[in-house]
Amino acid sequence: NAGGPSRCAALSARELPSSFGSRRGRKFDHPRPVVARALASLDALSGPKQFLWLHLFDPHEPYGDAAGGQIAYPSRIRQLASAQELERPHMRYARRLYDADLAHLDTALGAFFERLEADEEQIETHVLLTSDHGESFGEDGSFTHGYRVSPEQ
């Protein structure tokens, strides 16, 4: 790493191979603990060049779990939609839970950006924000996520 940045990552999604002694599969951490790890990692970095990769998985299905409340599963929404049994209350419920997860994410990112702002005198910061897909709640007949990108997304 001679001449390169000191670097670290705080990831919310990771594969768990069987060698970890647990069931193989995925584990997803919610935003607040991931941001806390990221901030602790920033404290450990040194030098004039630093790089932090912060990966946040939420908001994601199931809706509502990051906020610690009730949960709605998009698979059930898709099932109701395909059977033409999806009604407005179902969508309002799912959107309310999704919005709660968004608020949870917003709070976590707020803490992260406040920290970056506090360090701005010592560290020049560049932020790159990306997303892999959006969520649909009936727009253009699309429900849940990951299947297409609409003009609104």
Side-chain angles (χ1 to χ4, degrees), residues 128-153:
L128 174 65
L129 182 66
T130 66
S131 175
D132 65 342
H133 60 74
E135 297 287 318
S136 296
F137 290 91
E139 302 88 354
D140 298 325
S142 180
F143 299 94
T144 68
H145 76 278
Y147 300 105
R148 65 188 188 128
V149 177
S150 68
E152 293 83 14
Q153 296 174 338

PDB file of all heavy atoms in Angstrom, residues 128-153:
ATOM      1  N   LEU A 128     -19.405   9.506  -3.248  1.00  0.00           N
ATOM      2  CA  LEU A 128     -20.020   8.944  -4.437  1.00  0.00           C
ATOM      3  C   LEU A 128     -21.166   8.078  -3.950  1.00  0.00           C
ATOM      4  O   LEU A 128     -20.958   7.151  -3.161  1.00  0.00           O
ATOM      5  CB  LEU A 128     -19.008   8.107  -5.225  1.00  0.00           C
ATOM      6  CG  LEU A 128     -19.549   7.342  -6.411  1.00  0.00           C
ATOM      7  CD1 LEU A 128     -20.041   8.301  -7.482  1.00  0.00           C
ATOM      8  CD2 LEU A 128     -18.485   6.413  -6.972  1.00  0.00           C
ATOM      9  N   LEU A 129     -22.362   8.366  -4.397  1.00  0.00           N
ATOM     10  CA  LEU A 129     -23.552   7.642  -3.958  1.00  0.00           C
ATOM     11  C   LEU A 129     -24.160   6.927  -5.148  1.00  0.00           C
ATOM     12  O   LEU A 129     -24.379   7.541  -6.203  1.00  0.00           O
ATOM     13  CB  LEU A 129     -24.563   8.620  -3.353  1.00  0.00           C
ATOM     14  CG  LEU A 129     -25.851   8.042  -2.802  1.00  0.00           C
ATOM     15  CD1 LEU A 129     -25.559   7.172  -1.591  1.00  0.00           C
ATOM     16  CD2 LEU A 129     -26.798   9.166  -2.417  1.00  0.00           C
ATOM     17  N   THR A 130     -24.398   5.632  -5.004  1.00  0.00           N
ATOM     18  CA  THR A 130     -25.013   4.851  -6.076  1.00  0.00           C
ATOM     19  C   THR A 130     -26.141   4.011  -5.509  1.00  0.00           C
ATOM     20  O   THR A 130     -26.252   3.810  -4.300  1.00  0.00           O
ATOM     21  CB  THR A 130     -23.997   3.913  -6.761  1.00  0.00           C
ATOM     22  OG1 THR A 130     -23.579   2.920  -5.819  1.00  0.00           O
ATOM     23  CG2 THR A 130     -22.802   4.675  -7.287  1.00  0.00           C
ATOM     24  N   SER A 131     -26.964   3.502  -6.403  1.00  0.00           N
ATOM     25  CA  SER A 131     -28.036   2.580  -6.031  1.00  0.00           C
ATOM     26  C   SER A 131     -28.188   1.561  -7.147  1.00  0.00           C
ATOM     27  O   SER A 131     -27.947   1.879  -8.315  1.00  0.00           O
ATOM     28  CB  SER A 131     -29.345   3.356  -5.839  1.00  0.00           C
ATOM     29  OG  SER A 131     -30.411   2.474  -5.581  1.00  0.00           O
ATOM     30  N   ASP A 132     -28.582   0.354  -6.794  1.00  0.00           N
ATOM     31  CA  ASP A 132     -28.717  -0.658  -7.840  1.00  0.00           C
ATOM     32  C   ASP A 132     -30.135  -0.783  -8.383  1.00  0.00           C
ATOM     33  O   ASP A 132     -30.335  -1.342  -9.452  1.00  0.00           O
ATOM     34  CB  ASP A 132     -28.192  -2.012  -7.373  1.00  0.00           C
ATOM     35  CG  ASP A 132     -28.990  -2.606  -6.237  1.00  0.00           C
ATOM     36  OD1 ASP A 132     -29.727  -1.866  -5.567  1.00  0.00           O
ATOM     37  OD2 ASP A 132     -28.882  -3.813  -6.013  1.00  0.00           O
ATOM     38  N   HIS A 133     -31.133  -0.293  -7.672  1.00  0.00           N
ATOM     39  CA  HIS A 133     -32.506  -0.324  -8.187  1.00  0.00           C
ATOM     40  C   HIS A 133     -33.405   0.501  -7.288  1.00  0.00           C
ATOM     41  O   HIS A 133     -33.008   0.925  -6.217  1.00  0.00           O
ATOM     42  CB  HIS A 133     -33.043  -1.752  -8.305  1.00  0.00           C
ATOM     43  CG  HIS A 133     -33.072  -2.502  -7.010  1.00  0.00           C
ATOM     44  ND1 HIS A 133     -33.996  -2.252  -6.024  1.00  0.00           N
ATOM     45  CD2 HIS A 133     -32.286  -3.494  -6.540  1.00  0.00           C
ATOM     46  CE1 HIS A 133     -33.783  -3.063  -5.001  1.00  0.00           C
ATOM     47  NE2 HIS A 133     -32.730  -3.815  -5.285  1.00  0.00           N
ATOM     48  N   GLY A 134     -34.606   0.722  -7.750  1.00  0.00           N
ATOM     49  CA  GLY A 134     -35.603   1.428  -6.960  1.00  0.00           C
ATOM     50  C   GLY A 134     -36.725   0.493  -6.546  1.00  0.00           C
ATOM     51  O   GLY A 134     -36.669  -0.710  -6.797  1.00  0.00           O
ATOM     52  N   GLU A 135     -37.719   1.040  -5.918  1.00  0.00           N
ATOM     53  CA  GLU A 135     -38.891   0.287  -5.489  1.00  0.00           C
ATOM     54  C   GLU A 135     -40.117   0.835  -6.207  1.00  0.00           C
ATOM     55  O   GLU A 135     -40.203   2.031  -6.456  1.00  0.00           O
ATOM     56  CB  GLU A 135     -39.099   0.420  -3.980  1.00  0.00           C
ATOM     57  CG  GLU A 135     -37.972  -0.149  -3.152  1.00  0.00           C
ATOM     58  CD  GLU A 135     -37.949  -1.665  -3.136  1.00  0.00           C
ATOM     59  OE1 GLU A 135     -39.010  -2.289  -3.027  1.00  0.00           O
ATOM     60  OE2 GLU A 135     -36.851  -2.234  -3.227  1.00  0.00           O
ATOM     61  N   SER A 136     -41.043  -0.022  -6.530  1.00  0.00           N
ATOM     62  CA  SER A 136     -42.281   0.394  -7.178  1.00  0.00           C
ATOM     63  C   SER A 136     -43.469  -0.017  -6.328  1.00  0.00           C
ATOM     64  O   SER A 136     -43.516  -1.130  -5.805  1.00  0.00           O
ATOM     65  CB  SER A 136     -42.404  -0.251  -8.561  1.00  0.00           C
ATOM     66  OG  SER A 136     -41.378   0.189  -9.402  1.00  0.00           O
ATOM     67  N   PHE A 137     -44.408   0.885  -6.227  1.00  0.00           N
ATOM     68  CA  PHE A 137     -45.635   0.619  -5.469  1.00  0.00           C
ATOM     69  C   PHE A 137     -46.833   0.812  -6.390  1.00  0.00           C
ATOM     70  O   PHE A 137     -47.753   1.561  -6.103  1.00  0.00           O
ATOM     71  CB  PHE A 137     -45.709   1.529  -4.239  1.00  0.00           C
ATOM     72  CG  PHE A 137     -44.692   1.168  -3.200  1.00  0.00           C
ATOM     73  CD1 PHE A 137     -43.445   1.751  -3.195  1.00  0.00           C
ATOM     74  CD2 PHE A 137     -44.972   0.200  -2.244  1.00  0.00           C
ATOM     75  CE1 PHE A 137     -42.490   1.399  -2.256  1.00  0.00           C
ATOM     76  CE2 PHE A 137     -44.024  -0.161  -1.295  1.00  0.00           C
ATOM     77  CZ  PHE A 137     -42.786   0.438  -1.308  1.00  0.00           C
ATOM     78  N   GLY A 138     -46.801   0.127  -7.517  1.00  0.00           N
ATOM     79  CA  GLY A 138     -47.912   0.157  -8.451  1.00  0.00           C
ATOM     80  C   GLY A 138     -47.722   1.093  -9.626  1.00  0.00           C
ATOM     81  O   GLY A 138     -48.532   1.078 -10.549  1.00  0.00           O
ATOM     82  N   GLU A 139     -46.653   1.894  -9.622  1.00  0.00           N
ATOM     83  CA  GLU A 139     -46.409   2.776 -10.747  1.00  0.00           C
ATOM     84  C   GLU A 139     -46.212   1.932 -12.009  1.00  0.00           C
ATOM     85  O   GLU A 139     -45.471   0.972 -11.998  1.00  0.00           O
ATOM     86  CB  GLU A 139     -45.160   3.645 -10.514  1.00  0.00           C
ATOM     87  CG  GLU A 139     -45.213   4.510  -9.279  1.00  0.00           C
ATOM     88  CD  GLU A 139     -44.692   3.823  -8.015  1.00  0.00           C
ATOM     89  OE1 GLU A 139     -44.372   2.618  -8.049  1.00  0.00           O
ATOM     90  OE2 GLU A 139     -44.612   4.509  -6.997  1.00  0.00           O
ATOM     91  N   ASP A 140     -46.880   2.312 -13.056  1.00  0.00           N
ATOM     92  CA  ASP A 140     -46.782   1.600 -14.343  1.00  0.00           C
ATOM     93  C   ASP A 140     -47.053   0.103 -14.204  1.00  0.00           C
ATOM     94  O   ASP A 140     -46.515  -0.711 -14.951  1.00  0.00           O
ATOM     95  CB  ASP A 140     -45.393   1.798 -14.972  1.00  0.00           C
ATOM     96  CG  ASP A 140     -45.096   3.252 -15.282  1.00  0.00           C
ATOM     97  OD1 ASP A 140     -46.047   3.981 -15.658  1.00  0.00           O
ATOM     98  OD2 ASP A 140     -43.940   3.669 -15.140  1.00  0.00           O
ATOM     99  N   GLY A 141     -47.845  -0.284 -13.202  1.00  0.00           N
ATOM    100  CA  GLY A 141     -48.181  -1.695 -13.013  1.00  0.00           C
ATOM    101  C   GLY A 141     -47.057  -2.532 -12.449  1.00  0.00           C
ATOM    102  O   GLY A 141     -47.113  -3.760 -12.464  1.00  0.00           O
ATOM    103  N   SER A 142     -46.030  -1.904 -11.923  1.00  0.00           N
ATOM    104  CA  SER A 142     -44.884  -2.618 -11.365  1.00  0.00           C
ATOM    105  C   SER A 142     -44.964  -2.607  -9.836  1.00  0.00           C
ATOM    106  O   SER A 142     -45.360  -1.611  -9.241  1.00  0.00           O
ATOM    107  CB  SER A 142     -43.589  -1.949 -11.836  1.00  0.00           C
ATOM    108  OG  SER A 142     -42.477  -2.611 -11.317  1.00  0.00           O
ATOM    109  N   PHE A 143     -44.564  -3.716  -9.229  1.00  0.00           N
ATOM    110  CA  PHE A 143     -44.598  -3.839  -7.775  1.00  0.00           C
ATOM    111  C   PHE A 143     -43.264  -4.356  -7.260  1.00  0.00           C
ATOM    112  O   PHE A 143     -42.652  -5.222  -7.863  1.00  0.00           O
ATOM    113  CB  PHE A 143     -45.723  -4.787  -7.333  1.00  0.00           C
ATOM    114  CG  PHE A 143     -47.073  -4.305  -7.750  1.00  0.00           C
ATOM    115  CD1 PHE A 143     -47.641  -4.742  -8.931  1.00  0.00           C
ATOM    116  CD2 PHE A 143     -47.763  -3.376  -6.987  1.00  0.00           C
ATOM    117  CE1 PHE A 143     -48.881  -4.281  -9.324  1.00  0.00           C
ATOM    118  CE2 PHE A 143     -49.002  -2.912  -7.375  1.00  0.00           C
ATOM    119  CZ  PHE A 143     -49.566  -3.356  -8.550  1.00  0.00           C
ATOM    120  N   THR A 144     -42.854  -3.822  -6.142  1.00  0.00           N
ATOM    121  CA  THR A 144     -41.641  -4.177  -5.397  1.00  0.00           C
ATOM    122  C   THR A 144     -40.398  -3.728  -6.152  1.00  0.00           C
ATOM    123  O   THR A 144     -40.350  -2.618  -6.622  1.00  0.00           O
ATOM    124  CB  THR A 144     -41.618  -5.652  -4.972  1.00  0.00           C
ATOM    125  OG1 THR A 144     -41.493  -6.494  -6.098  1.00  0.00           O
ATOM    126  CG2 THR A 144     -42.855  -6.001  -4.167  1.00  0.00           C
ATOM    127  N   HIS A 145     -39.368  -4.571  -6.267  1.00  0.00           N
ATOM    128  CA  HIS A 145     -38.091  -4.060  -6.751  1.00  0.00           C
ATOM    129  C   HIS A 145     -37.339  -5.016  -7.656  1.00  0.00           C
ATOM    130  O   HIS A 145     -37.653  -6.191  -7.733  1.00  0.00           O
ATOM    131  CB  HIS A 145     -37.191  -3.711  -5.571  1.00  0.00           C
ATOM    132  CG  HIS A 145     -36.588  -4.907  -4.928  1.00  0.00           C
ATOM    133  ND1 HIS A 145     -37.240  -5.661  -4.018  1.00  0.00           N
ATOM    134  CD2 HIS A 145     -35.378  -5.489  -5.103  1.00  0.00           C
ATOM    135  CE1 HIS A 145     -36.468  -6.659  -3.636  1.00  0.00           C
ATOM    136  NE2 HIS A 145     -35.341  -6.583  -4.274  1.00  0.00           N
ATOM    137  N   GLY A 146     -36.317  -4.421  -8.298  1.00  0.00           N
ATOM    138  CA  GLY A 146     -35.309  -5.204  -8.982  1.00  0.00           C
ATOM    139  C   GLY A 146     -35.645  -5.730 -10.356  1.00  0.00           C
ATOM    140  O   GLY A 146     -34.820  -6.399 -10.950  1.00  0.00           O
ATOM    141  N   TYR A 147     -36.816  -5.435 -10.889  1.00  0.00           N
ATOM    142  CA  TYR A 147     -37.191  -6.037 -12.157  1.00  0.00           C
ATOM    143  C   TYR A 147     -37.066  -5.093 -13.343  1.00  0.00           C
ATOM    144  O   TYR A 147     -36.916  -5.526 -14.465  1.00  0.00           O
ATOM    145  CB  TYR A 147     -38.607  -6.601 -12.069  1.00  0.00           C
ATOM    146  CG  TYR A 147     -38.685  -7.650 -10.998  1.00  0.00           C
ATOM    147  CD1 TYR A 147     -39.299  -7.387  -9.788  1.00  0.00           C
ATOM    148  CD2 TYR A 147     -38.071  -8.881 -11.166  1.00  0.00           C
ATOM    149  CE1 TYR A 147     -39.336  -8.333  -8.791  1.00  0.00           C
ATOM    150  CE2 TYR A 147     -38.094  -9.836 -10.162  1.00  0.00           C
ATOM    151  CZ  TYR A 147     -38.733  -9.554  -8.986  1.00  0.00           C
ATOM    152  OH  TYR A 147     -38.753 -10.482  -7.991  1.00  0.00           O
ATOM    153  N   ARG A 148     -37.172  -3.793 -13.084  1.00  0.00           N
ATOM    154  CA  ARG A 148     -37.034  -2.824 -14.164  1.00  0.00           C
ATOM    155  C   ARG A 148     -36.837  -1.448 -13.559  1.00  0.00           C
ATOM    156  O   ARG A 148     -37.076  -1.243 -12.376  1.00  0.00           O
ATOM    157  CB  ARG A 148     -38.236  -2.843 -15.088  1.00  0.00           C
ATOM    158  CG  ARG A 148     -39.504  -2.396 -14.401  1.00  0.00           C
ATOM    159  CD  ARG A 148     -40.709  -2.602 -15.288  1.00  0.00           C
ATOM    160  NE  ARG A 148     -41.856  -1.995 -14.661  1.00  0.00           N
ATOM    161  CZ  ARG A 148     -42.653  -1.150 -15.245  1.00  0.00           C
ATOM    162  NH1 ARG A 148     -42.443  -0.828 -16.501  1.00  0.00           N
ATOM    163  NH2 ARG A 148     -43.676  -0.637 -14.624  1.00  0.00           N
ATOM    164  N   VAL A 149     -36.430  -0.502 -14.388  1.00  0.00           N
ATOM    165  CA  VAL A 149     -36.291   0.879 -13.957  1.00  0.00           C
ATOM    166  C   VAL A 149     -37.324   1.700 -14.720  1.00  0.00           C
ATOM    167  O   VAL A 149     -37.354   1.669 -15.953  1.00  0.00           O
ATOM    168  CB  VAL A 149     -34.864   1.407 -14.230  1.00  0.00           C
ATOM    169  CG1 VAL A 149     -34.757   2.868 -13.857  1.00  0.00           C
ATOM    170  CG2 VAL A 149     -33.842   0.584 -13.476  1.00  0.00           C
ATOM    171  N   SER A 150     -38.152   2.395 -13.997  1.00  0.00           N
ATOM    172  CA  SER A 150     -39.159   3.246 -14.626  1.00  0.00           C
ATOM    173  C   SER A 150     -38.617   4.663 -14.717  1.00  0.00           C
ATOM    174  O   SER A 150     -37.650   5.005 -14.032  1.00  0.00           O
ATOM    175  CB  SER A 150     -40.461   3.213 -13.825  1.00  0.00           C
ATOM    176  OG  SER A 150     -40.275   3.841 -12.575  1.00  0.00           O
ATOM    177  N   PRO A 151     -39.221   5.513 -15.527  1.00  0.00           N
ATOM    178  CA  PRO A 151     -38.736   6.899 -15.639  1.00  0.00           C
ATOM    179  C   PRO A 151     -38.712   7.622 -14.291  1.00  0.00           C
ATOM    180  O   PRO A 151     -37.848   8.456 -14.065  1.00  0.00           O
ATOM    181  CB  PRO A 151     -39.747   7.553 -16.593  1.00  0.00           C
ATOM    182  CG  PRO A 151     -40.288   6.426 -17.391  1.00  0.00           C
ATOM    183  CD  PRO A 151     -40.299   5.242 -16.458  1.00  0.00           C
ATOM    184  N   GLU A 152     -39.626   7.287 -13.369  1.00  0.00           N
ATOM    185  CA  GLU A 152     -39.652   7.937 -12.062  1.00  0.00           C
ATOM    186  C   GLU A 152     -38.453   7.567 -11.202  1.00  0.00           C
ATOM    187  O   GLU A 152     -38.085   8.264 -10.285  1.00  0.00           O
ATOM    188  CB  GLU A 152     -40.931   7.576 -11.296  1.00  0.00           C
ATOM    189  CG  GLU A 152     -42.196   8.126 -11.920  1.00  0.00           C
ATOM    190  CD  GLU A 152     -42.720   7.255 -13.060  1.00  0.00           C
ATOM    191  OE1 GLU A 152     -42.268   6.088 -13.216  1.00  0.00           O
ATOM    192  OE2 GLU A 152     -43.561   7.740 -13.820  1.00  0.00           O
ATOM    193  N   GLN A 153     -37.852   6.407 -11.464  1.00  0.00           N
ATOM    194  CA  GLN A 153     -36.730   5.954 -10.660  1.00  0.00           C
ATOM    195  C   GLN A 153     -35.446   6.522 -11.185  1.00  0.00           C
ATOM    196  O   GLN A 153     -34.440   6.516 -10.602  1.00  0.00           O
ATOM    197  CB  GLN A 153     -36.664   4.429 -10.626  1.00  0.00           C
ATOM    198  CG  GLN A 153     -37.877   3.839  -9.956  1.00  0.00           C
ATOM    199  CD  GLN A 153     -37.909   2.327 -10.049  1.00  0.00           C
ATOM    200  OE1 GLN A 153     -37.286   1.730 -10.904  1.00  0.00           O
ATOM    201  NE2 GLN A 153     -38.656   1.708  -9.173  1.00  0.00           N
TER     202      GLN A 153
END
